[in-house]
């Protein structure tokens, strides 16, 4: 006790002598801090352990404990001007946790980062003086060790309201307010972390969806099955290994270019070798099951090379630049492949399959073997009867013409009142006659003609024939700059289709000349299927117009400016670029009004003006739009549904409710490239068990 009383006096005397004897205060303070303070702390610890030891009765010596507390408070009061508040609080807390103040504990638990010691947690596990209770420690000290462990994880020791009645003299480390604030901070941090994770997930989903939408603009038929952004719904078993190998090949090509530019020929050669090996292992595989058994080894070897290449060559700007070059090259390749695809589809669309060609040849041979008296159709008196329902069908495809006639008659309420006027070329004239002689459409009337027998249809009368005989048109059709590649030959290929050279395609502008005794006629293309009775069309009031047709301007690209050259003053001065287009394929024509308004003369005028193809290119729809401008009556859209030859997304109910469905486009139903889901509407009107059909190997 006398030793303890001299401590504050010495401290105070030190400050006074420092002021009166001339010593500099910083030296005195350093001496005080490094020599006297440790002695004071050690004395306080020994006093505390001595004073709080239990007496013989088992109760603490409270008078000794109070004296020790008074000395500790006195020491801490003198240290306040020198140490920070956080250090003082740590010293006060340590006497309740360990009983013996330790610098290791302060390093581990102090809030300031400057007190943290790397590896302290690991060291404390092997240091029994810090975490383990000494064997010779008193019961109170053992309790203090356990309570200290709980305090370090944020738990509160159980205590009575009166600290004097607490058996171990333990005081609460944190007040309830501090604990509540700490818990609120933890909740806020967790909430913020969840929000950030959610934002990252949402951003990732948006990025992925945007990439998927962008990839939809690329033709999947050209790219094949593999696409890094495509969601694989075709197969439950993901082709992840195939995609990984192809991604490795892409990155290897990037690093190969960078290695060559940096003169790392060793890496360049190794990357080149690995690329060839991976390409051989992948081959034409589209699924993991198609891969060669050496694929895992190739993946591992390529991964090792790519790892070394990244460590040696990685440059963010160089990689980005190279990937952009590869992307641009891929885009150019896609465009080239699209041109080739267009060329090939146009080529396929204008050809006749072998089966149909076989059918035509066999029918022609058998027709000319017939005696002349058996080549005539019955009911020829109906051909010029204006009170009946007359159809005009111009085709060189026997099978397609048979579907049009059969579907019309099978859905007609009064088949005997229907008359079909078929016009074909010289090559297919015998086949067309023979087919309908063998397969008469019930009680309907059939009339077949040869376009070459129309002597009035000559170059002096018809501008199209005159233009087709010109040297410029022959140059356009048969030389066409001598394209050497598929992509080059695809330019304007649609307008080089042989059907534009045939007068069967232009005969629709000469209906009154072909059928001078008729008042109304329904024109049908050979790529349509009739699903309902069409007789109501003859009673439609055209309101003085010549043509009744279904309009197609539901989309902006089906207006006049799509088909005509409005940079030409003749077109711009006479027509509205936003005028609604309409469809050929099912048209009811009033031949009386046709003659009154001289429709054929209007057609000749515009055809003569387009001799050098400056008003429109080729085809029959553009001159039809000009010829029947403001002379077309719009029919209800349910009469005629188009697009079965190019549009895969037509609504099923719309097709079912249509009177006529039209396979306009390249994917004709008699071709192999026809869309499978639309083909049954056409094939159900073909008798595949017919001897001629079966003999030419025509099948569904």
């Amino acid at each position: 006790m006398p030793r303890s009383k001299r401590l504050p006096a010495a401290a105070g005397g030190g400050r006074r002598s420092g002021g009166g004897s001339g010593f500099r205060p910083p030296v005195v303070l350093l001496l005080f801090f490094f020599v006297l303070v440790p002695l004071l702390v050690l004395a306080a610890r020994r006093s505390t352990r001595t004073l709080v030891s239990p007496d013989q009765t088992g109760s603490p010596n409270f008078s000794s404990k109070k004296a020790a507390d008074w000395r500790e408070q006195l020491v801490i009061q003198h240290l306040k001007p020198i140490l920070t508040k956080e250090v003082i609080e740590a010293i006060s807390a340590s006497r309740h946790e360990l009983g013996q103040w330790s610098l290791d504990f302060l390093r581990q638990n102090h809030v300031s980062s400057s007190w943290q010691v790397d590896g302290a947690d690991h060291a404390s596990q092997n240091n029994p003086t810090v975490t383990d209770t000494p064997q010779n420690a008193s019961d109170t000290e053992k309790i203090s060790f356990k309570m200290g462990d709980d305090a370090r994880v944020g738990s509160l020791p159980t205590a009575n309201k009166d600290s004097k009645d607490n058996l171990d003299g333990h005081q609460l480390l944190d007040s309830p307010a501090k604990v509540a604030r700490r818990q609120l901070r933890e909740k806020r941090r967790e909430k913020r972390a969840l929000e950030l994770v959610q934002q990252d997930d949402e951003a990732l989903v948006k990025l992925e969806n945007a990439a998927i939408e962008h990839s939809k603009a690329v033709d999947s038929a050209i790219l094949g099955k593999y696409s890094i952004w495509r969601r694989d719904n075709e197969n439950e078993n993901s082709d992840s290994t195939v995609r990984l190998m192809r991604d490795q090949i892409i990155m290897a090509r990037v690093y190969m270019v960078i290695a060559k530019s940096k003169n790392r020929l060793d890496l360049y050669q190794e990357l080149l070798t690995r690329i060839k090996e991976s390409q051989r292992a992948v081959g034409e595989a589209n699924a993991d099951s198609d891969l060669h058994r050496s694929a895992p080894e190739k993946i591992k070897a390529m991964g090792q090379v790519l790892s070394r290449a990244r460590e040696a060559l990685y440059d963010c700007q160089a990689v980005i630049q190279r990937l952009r070059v590869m992307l641009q090259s891929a885009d150019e390749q896609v465009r080239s492949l699209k041109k080739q695809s267009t060329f090939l589809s146009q080529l396929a669309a204008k050809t006749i399959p072998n089966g149909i060609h076989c059918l035509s040849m066999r029918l022609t041979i058998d027709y000319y073997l017939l005696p002349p008296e058996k080549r005539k159709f019955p009911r020829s008196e109906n051909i010029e009867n204006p009170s009946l329902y007359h159809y005009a069908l111009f085709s060189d495809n026997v099978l397609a013409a048979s579907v049009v006639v059969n579907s019309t008659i099978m859905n007609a309420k009064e088949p005997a009142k229907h008359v079909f006027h078929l016009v074909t070329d010289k090559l297919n004239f015998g086949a067309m006659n023979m087919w309908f002689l063998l397969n008469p459409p019930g009680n309907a009337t059939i009339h077949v003609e040869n376009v070459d027998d129309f002597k009035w249809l000559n170059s002096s009368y018809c501008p199209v024939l005159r233009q087709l005989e010109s040297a410029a048109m022959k140059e356009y059709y048969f030389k066409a700059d001598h394209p050497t590649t598929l992509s080059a030959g695809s330019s304007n290929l649609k307008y080089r289709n042989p059907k534009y050279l045939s007068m069967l395609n232009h005969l629709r502008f000469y209906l009154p000349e072909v059928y001078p005794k008729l008042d109304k006629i329904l024109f049908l293309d050979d790529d349509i299927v009739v699903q309902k009775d069409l007789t109501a069309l003859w009673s439609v009031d055209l309101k003085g117009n010549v043509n009744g047709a279904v309009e197609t301007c539901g989309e902006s690209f089906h207006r006049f400016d799509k088909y005509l050259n409005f940079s030409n003053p003749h077109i711009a001065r006479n027509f509205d670029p936003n005028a609604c287009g309409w469809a050929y394929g099912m048209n009811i024509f009033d031949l009386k009004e046709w003659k009154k308004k001289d429709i054929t003369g209007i057609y000749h005028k515009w055809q003569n003006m387009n001799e050098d193809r400056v008003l429109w290119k080729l085809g029959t729809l553009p001159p039809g739009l000009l010829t029947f401008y403001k002379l077309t009556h719009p029919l209800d859209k349910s009469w005629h549904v188009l697009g079965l030859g190019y549009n895969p997304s037509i609504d099923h109910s719309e097709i079912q409710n249509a009177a006529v469905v039209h396979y306009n486009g390249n994917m004709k139903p008699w071709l192999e490239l026809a869309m499978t889901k639309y083909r049954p509407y056409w094939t159900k009107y073909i008798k595949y068990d017919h001897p001629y059909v079966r003999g030419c190997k025509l099948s569904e």
Side-chain angles (χ1 to χ4, degrees):
M1 292 296 292
R3 182 180 176 183
S4 299
K5 288 182 179 180
R6 285 196 300 270
L7 290 176
R15 285 193 298 272
R16 285 193 300 270
S17 64
S21 64
F23 290 98
R24 287 183 296 178
V27 176
V28 175
L29 289 175
L30 289 173
L31 181 63
F32 170 78
F33 185 80
F34 287 107
V35 178
L36 297 179
V37 169
L39 295 175
L40 290 172
V41 174
L42 291 173
R45 290 177 187 164
R46 295 191 185 98
S47 303
T48 302
R49 287 200 302 270
T50 303
L51 292 173
V52 300
S53 60
D55 56 13
Q56 295 177 355
T57 61
S59 61
N61 189 341
F62 290 107
S63 61
S64 301
K65 181 179 182 299
K66 288 182 180 180
D69 291 342
W70 175 80
R71 290 187 182 90
E72 290 179 6
Q73 292 174 3
L74 186 61
V75 171
I76 292 172
Q77 182 178 1
H78 286 284
L79 293 175
K80 283 183 179 180
I82 301 172
L83 302 178
T84 64
K85 180 181 178 182
E86 294 174 344
V87 175
I88 298 297
E89 291 178 353
I91 294 173
S92 300
S94 68
R95 58 197 176 104
H96 300 294
E97 294 182 356
L98 296 177
Q100 180 177 346
W101 189 75
S102 171
L103 183 61
D104 291 334
F105 167 76
L106 194 61
R107 287 174 176 172
Q108 293 179 4
N109 296 279
H110 198 270
V111 293
S112 175
S113 59
S114 62
W115 287 82
Q116 300 296 328
V117 179
D118 293 338
D121 293 338
H122 179 72
S124 65
Q125 295 175 0
N126 301 321
N127 188 358
T129 61
V130 178
T131 58
D132 296 336
T133 307
Q135 295 180 357
N136 58 352
S138 64
D139 294 337
T140 305
E141 290 174 330
K142 292 180 180 179
I143 295 174
S144 178
F145 270 99
K146 295 179 180 178
M147 299 299 289
D149 291 340
D150 293 337
R152 279 193 291 272
V153 296
S155 60
L156 293 174
T158 305
N160 294 328
K161 293 182 180 179
D162 190 357
S163 61
K164 293 181 180 180
D165 297 332
N166 194 345
L167 180 62
D168 58 358
H170 203 318
Q171 295 181 358
L172 295 176
L173 294 180
D174 291 332
S175 65
K178 288 184 179 180
V179 173
R181 284 196 297 271
R182 183 166 61 247
Q183 292 175 349
L184 287 176
R185 284 195 299 271
E186 292 294 334
K187 289 180 180 179
R188 284 197 297 269
R189 280 195 291 268
E190 292 177 0
K191 183 178 179 181
R192 180 57 180 165
L194 290 175
E195 290 177 353
L196 292 174
V197 170
Q198 185 177 3
Q199 290 176 2
D200 291 342
D201 292 342
E202 292 175 354
L204 183 61
V205 171
K206 289 180 180 179
L207 179 62
E208 183 180 354
N209 290 335
I212 292 171
E213 291 299 323
H214 177 70
S215 70
K216 290 179 180 178
V218 182
D219 192 349
S220 60
I222 294 173
L223 292 180
K225 182 179 178 182
Y226 172 72
S227 173
I228 192 173
W229 296 107
R230 185 175 61 80
R231 287 172 176 165
D232 294 324
N233 297 321
E234 300 176 5
N235 192 352
E236 295 180 358
N237 299 321
S238 175
D239 52 348
S240 57
T241 306
V242 174
R243 287 182 290 157
L244 174 61
M245 294 189 71
R246 287 177 174 163
D247 289 342
Q248 284 184 332
I249 292 172
I250 292 172
M251 290 310 301
R253 286 174 177 168
V254 172
Y255 284 123
M256 189 175 68
V257 174
I258 298 175
K260 189 174 183 179
S261 65
K262 293 187 177 181
N263 203 27
R264 290 295 305 272
L265 300 182
D266 54 337
L267 273 176
Y268 172 83
Q269 190 61 41
E270 190 170 2
L271 287 166
L272 182 60
T273 303
R274 296 303 179 192
I275 288 174
K276 292 180 179 179
E277 292 177 353
S278 296
Q279 287 176 336
R280 284 195 296 269
V282 174
E284 299 295 330
N286 289 322
D288 292 352
S289 58
D290 301 332
L291 287 172
H292 191 267
R293 60 178 178 272
S294 63
E297 298 177 2
K298 306 304 180 186
I299 292 174
K300 183 178 179 180
M302 177 67 86
Q304 293 172 351
V305 176
L306 288 175
S307 179
R308 293 201 304 273
R310 180 172 181 175
E311 292 177 359
L313 304 172
Y314 184 76
D315 183 348
C316 184
Q317 292 298 327
V319 171
I320 291 174
Q321 183 179 4
R322 185 57 194 167
L323 287 173
R324 285 178 177 173
V325 171
M326 293 175 66
L327 180 60
Q328 184 177 2
S329 176
D331 287 341
E332 292 175 357
Q333 186 178 9
V334 167
R335 284 193 292 270
S336 175
L337 291 172
K338 282 185 175 180
K339 287 183 179 181
Q340 294 181 21
S341 175
T342 302
F343 178 88
L344 294 173
S345 63
Q346 293 285 354
L347 187 63
K350 68 182 182 180
T351 57
I352 299 295
N354 288 336
I356 297 178
H357 182 70
C358 165
L359 179 65
S360 179
M361 292 299 99
R362 290 192 176 190
L363 289 169
T364 300
I365 293 171
D366 290 347
Y367 175 76
Y368 287 108
L369 292 176
L370 286 176
E373 63 272 11
K374 292 186 178 181
R375 298 178 187 177
K376 295 181 181 180
F377 289 97
R379 294 178 291 277
S380 59
E381 67 278 4
N382 294 335
I383 293 175
E384 295 182 348
N385 186 351
S387 63
L388 300 178
Y389 305 114
H390 293 265
Y391 299 85
L393 176 60
F394 310 144
S395 176
D396 59 358
N397 188 327
V398 176
L399 196 64
S402 71
V403 171
V404 175
V405 174
N406 290 341
S407 63
T408 304
I409 295 304
M410 290 177 66
N411 292 284
K413 295 179 180 178
E414 298 178 286
K417 292 185 177 181
H418 296 259
V419 181
F420 291 91
H421 300 270
L422 284 76
V423 181
T424 187
D425 55 17
K426 184 185 297 184
L427 181 64
N428 294 281
F429 177 73
M432 198 76 71
N433 277 279
M434 190 64 185
W435 177 264
F436 288 104
L437 286 170
L438 294 173
N439 306 281
N443 295 324
T445 302
I446 296 293
H447 178 216
V448 180
E449 295 180 276
N450 182 1
V451 68
D452 296 323
D453 293 338
F454 298 155
K455 303 303 180 184
W456 51 268
L457 197 62
N458 50 58
S459 58
S460 61
Y461 175 67
C462 179
V464 172
L465 279 175
R466 184 173 63 253
Q467 292 169 10
L468 290 175
E469 293 174 358
S470 66
M473 189 64 72
K474 291 177 181 178
E475 176 77 16
Y476 179 77
Y477 268 104
F478 300 108
K479 294 185 180 180
D481 299 329
H482 302 283
T484 57
T485 62
L486 288 177
S487 58
S490 65
S491 176
N492 293 330
L493 180 66
K494 176 181 178 181
Y495 305 104
R496 294 187 174 93
N497 195 311
K499 72 178 183 179
Y500 297 123
L501 297 174
S502 173
M503 279 309 298
L504 287 176
N505 200 47
H506 297 271
L507 201 59
R508 65 192 68 190
F509 293 104
Y510 299 96
L511 290 174
E513 285 86 345
V514 181
Y515 311 109
K517 301 277 184 79
L518 301 181
D519 297 333
K520 279 189 176 182
I521 196 167
L522 184 64
F523 172 79
L524 298 177
D525 269 341
D526 64 355
D527 56 350
I528 63 103
V529 173
V530 179
Q531 301 186 128
K532 294 182 180 180
D533 182 63
L534 302 179
T535 55
L537 287 170
W538 274 264
S539 60
V540 172
D541 183 8
L542 298 180
K543 299 180 181 179
N545 293 303
V546 179
N547 176 25
V550 171
E551 293 183 334
T552 58
C553 57
E555 303 291 342
S556 60
F557 53 84
H558 282 151
R559 297 186 182 272
F560 270 44
D561 58 352
K562 169 64 178 178
Y563 306 100
L564 305 173
N565 179 19
F566 275 87
S567 63
N568 186 282
H570 296 291
I571 298 296
R573 186 167 53 247
N574 293 282
F575 302 98
D576 179 8
N578 293 317
C580 190
W582 46 268
Y584 264 131
M586 191 214 68
N587 308 79
I588 184 72
F589 290 109
D590 187 335
L591 300 183
K592 286 184 176 180
E593 290 294 329
W594 185 305
K595 296 172 186 176
K596 288 180 183 179
K597 295 179 169 58
D598 190 19
I599 297 300
T600 303
I602 297 174
Y603 165 71
H604 283 174
K605 183 188 83 168
W606 289 110
Q607 194 69 53
N608 285 324
M609 293 175 64
N610 193 48
E611 187 167 0
D612 53 357
R613 299 184 307 280
V614 294
L615 304 185
W616 69 90
K617 291 184 179 180
L618 288 175
T620 54
L621 182 57
L625 297 176
L626 300 179
T627 302
F628 295 101
Y629 183 61
K630 295 185 178 180
L631 295 174
T632 299
H633 175 74
L635 299 176
D636 187 270
K637 291 185 180 298
S638 63
W639 280 110
H640 188 188
V641 170
L642 299 99
L644 276 72
Y646 70 90
N647 185 3
S649 58
I650 302 175
D651 187 77
H652 178 71
S653 61
E654 188 177 356
I655 297 176
Q656 292 290 338
N657 296 328
V660 171
V661 291
H662 194 171
Y663 291 84
N664 58 315
N666 291 330
M667 300 179 184
K668 302 298 183 186
W670 55 83
L671 299 175
E672 291 184 3
L673 52 81
M675 282 184 272
T676 306
K677 69 177 186 177
Y678 297 147
R679 204 163 183 264
Y681 297 110
W682 188 81
T683 56
K684 69 179 181 179
Y685 294 104
I686 298 177
K687 298 178 180 179
Y688 285 99
D689 58 347
H690 193 282
Y692 283 90
V693 175
R694 189 172 60 251
C696 290
K697 299 181 180 179
L698 288 166
S699 61
E700 297 184 60

